[in-house]
Amino acid sequence: MTAPPVAGAGVRRSWIAAAGLAGRSRGVRTLTAAVVGAAILVAVTGVLLPVERPADRPLSVMAGVGLAALLVVAGQLARLRFRLGRGVVSVSWGEAAFIIGYVVAPPGWLPLATLTGAAVAWALLSWLDEHRNIAEVAHLAASLALGTAGAAAVARVIGGNAPVLSVQTQGALVAGALAYLLITFGLAALTLTVHRDARTAQIFARIPYAKIPMFVGNVLVGLGAVFALLRGPIWLIAFVPGLWLLQRTYRFHLRAEEERRMWEAFAAATAAMPAGSESEVAAAGLRGALDVFGARRVEIEVRGPGTEHRYAEDGPGQDNFLSGLPGPAITRSMAVGGDVVGEITVWLADPTLPAPRDEAAISAYGDALAAALHDASVQGQLTELRRRVDHDGVHDQLTGLRNRGSMLADGDRLVRGVERDRHIGLLLLDIKGFREVNGTLGHRCGDEVLRQVAERLTDLSRENDLVARTGDDEFAILIPAITALADSATPLHETPSPLPMAVRRAREIAEKIAQPMEVSGVRLAVEIAVGVVVARAGRIELGELVRRASLALDQAKRRELAVATYDSNQDAVTTDELALLAELQDALAADDQIVLHLQPSVDLITAAPTGVEALVRWRHPRRGQLSPNDFIRTVEHTELLTPFTRRVLDLALSAAAGWNSAGVELPVSVNVSARSLLDPGFPAQVTDALRHHRTPASSLVLEITESVAVSDQAVVDDILAELRDAGVQLSLDDFGTGYSSLAMVTRAPVDEIKIDRSFVDDMIDSSAAEAVVRGAVELGARLGVRVVAEGVETTEQRAALIELGCPNAQGYHFCKPMPADRIVQALTQLAEAAPNNIRSLRADDAS
């Protein structure tokens, strides 16, 4: 409901705006009206009082009143200003003008003379440069008139009709001047408080400091002028140079004090700028600028790549939208290292320093604020990078699903939290013929197929299900609770099996995925094979569940079925596998079957060697040389892991001792099984090997594989910390793949990151692979760790890695893996052929 218009409201609003009270608070308007009304009343009352003219007064009544008004005009025109909070205080020759005026004019006429003279002076000042409105001029003049009225009353009471040059009258003049000071000081403090331009403590600390020296000079000048006026007016000429010198002294005193205050506030404001977000720094910068410069308004414009943000804040006590923005505006650019960050604009209430000094101070403040904003921007970028690293560590970048490591870690916790008698299920899905999709339509279309399959799986998942991409074209759905389904074939005395429900769920998913999809204008349909396994939560670990689901998936693909279930007969151990275990025991007992091939990593620019990786091989007496893929799984799942790891460490440290004795000091890298990092005795095994070979711990680098990211964190973290405390270095292998956990970078600080060769292979033709490599290089630089690109085989790859800033690489382009008896010669040749700028593995500032 709208209130009816009030008659005369528009007139009052216009009058208020014309007087300069628009946007002012009710308290400000009330104070102005009270002061002006009281001054007019006092002036009129004083004029109506009878005029007593003592004989020793030098001038007539009208001449004296005119001279008194002129003295007030001169005293106000010669005023000095200083900034107090967001307001400006003027100190003038008012006490001197009062003392002289009291002598030459009737005391009752002095308020009118002061009111008239001050109004004329401030109107002239406003017209010239200060731009004060009518209300401000009237308020100032009225305040001075009230101060003069009080001073005249005090002087009249004390001095009476005593002669002017008597001690009584001189004391009365000093007391009157003091009353003038106290009244004008009180009104100024009240005005600043009501306007909220300054704090009360600040007012009572700074105004006396600025005014008292000038008050003393004013009293002395006034008394001296009275004496000269009565005894020898010619001596008034001598006052001119003295007054000029005093004026200069006062000006210097106030400016020095103002500069000291401003720089103290400057230091406090810049020190208070937070190391937070851009908006927090900008808000602190606005508050600081309002306080330092006593500004009416401050605006900050922050510019970034493709962005522009504006921040503004008004000083308290008025509405700048209604009252306008008085005072000059100074705009300065903010830059850091030549890069423009933005601009700062400050509307000064009233300049109290020469313009160049105000401008220089605002420029300096802008530079400090620019540095804080730049730091906030960098911090924001680091926060975003950490967030992205944390996200990418647990998500597949193509589909947005969980990656294999995240599924294993979260799924393991989920399985442990399920009641022990509840059934859990795992569906492992593989897209049939996906290689043909890539070969026919290209990898871009293949990626789109994977994304659409991921979307359908997400839509088909239920609450608490975990959906993950576990391989190139392989997905998994972990079902934490499966309801048992009974059928007619189930005897009444037996518990219904949940497997049929899991199979039904798998078939429904296979049917939904097989529905046609459109990819790059091509309508196609893909089929999937699903391996299904169901088990009780308290009787199986998730890793074992994945292994069984993989066997079921393999069976589905071999038999060309849509769905296959896990069969325990698939776990039957073959005679070859039994023979392999026995032969491994014989190999560890022999001296010449388990051997190492060694491959250097080099500086990308100089090709100087920076480290050596130990690659284990098995010289099988019957099957020839075997790679780790042929036997390492058997090692990791048997009790042979500890003696096997001990043998590899002995061979690696022995080889390192060989090239160190030849003058090539390089660390040797050895891959570590996740199971070793679950063994509390593993750190002691490492330190014993180092002690046996008399090798410093810094010469050994243990490469952590992706499986570490999903191991028992409490145990792994303790063992990794113990190894680092011993001085052994850690390397995160296969960095960037879907199987590695980026969270390991922060969970267990490493000394080296090795970029997986799959990204190096694709980086020339794939912008996505290039982005991964670039991100790994930048992450390594920020963390202060060494970065090594694996699998470099061509000159083009080397050039591309140099352009991306990658410092080190390893691959056939530089050196193939070779037996230990040839590595010393190869390292020596590489070192002699390169400049002497080999980089150490652990940076001095690495954590």
Side-chain angles (χ1 to χ4, degrees), residues 64-78 93-94 96-102 104 113 117-118 225 229:
V65 172
L67 178 59
L70 289 176
L71 289 173
V72 171
V73 172
Q76 296 304 313
L77 291 177
W93 295 85
F98 159 73
I99 292 173
I100 300 172
Y102 185 86
V104 300
L229 184 64

Side-chain angles (χ1 to χ4, degrees), residues 436-511:
E436 284 73 15
V437 175
N438 280 334
T440 304
L441 301 179
H443 286 275
R444 182 174 299 178
C445 293
D447 290 346
E448 180 61 26
V449 169
L450 293 174
R451 279 191 288 265
Q452 292 199 33
V453 169
E455 290 175 2
R456 293 184 179 184
L457 288 176
T458 302
D459 293 339
L460 294 169
S461 64
R462 301 173 183 174
E463 186 178 3
N464 297 328
D465 287 356
L466 292 186
V467 184
R469 181 188 177 197
T470 56
D472 288 341
D473 58 344
E474 186 177 277
F475 298 85
I477 299 179
L478 177 63
I479 307 171
I482 298 179
T483 303
L485 180 66
D487 56 29
S488 59
T490 304
L492 295 177
H493 64 279
E494 293 184 7
T495 303
S497 170
L499 185 60
M501 181 63 75
V503 172
R504 178 184 296 182
R505 179 85 183 277
R507 294 189 184 282
E508 291 175 354
I509 292 175
E511 291 174 2

Side-chain angles (χ1 to χ4, degrees), residues 88-108:
V88 175
V89 177
S90 296
V91 290
S92 66
W93 295 85
E95 292 86 356
F98 159 73
I99 292 173
I100 300 172
Y102 185 86
V103 173
V104 300

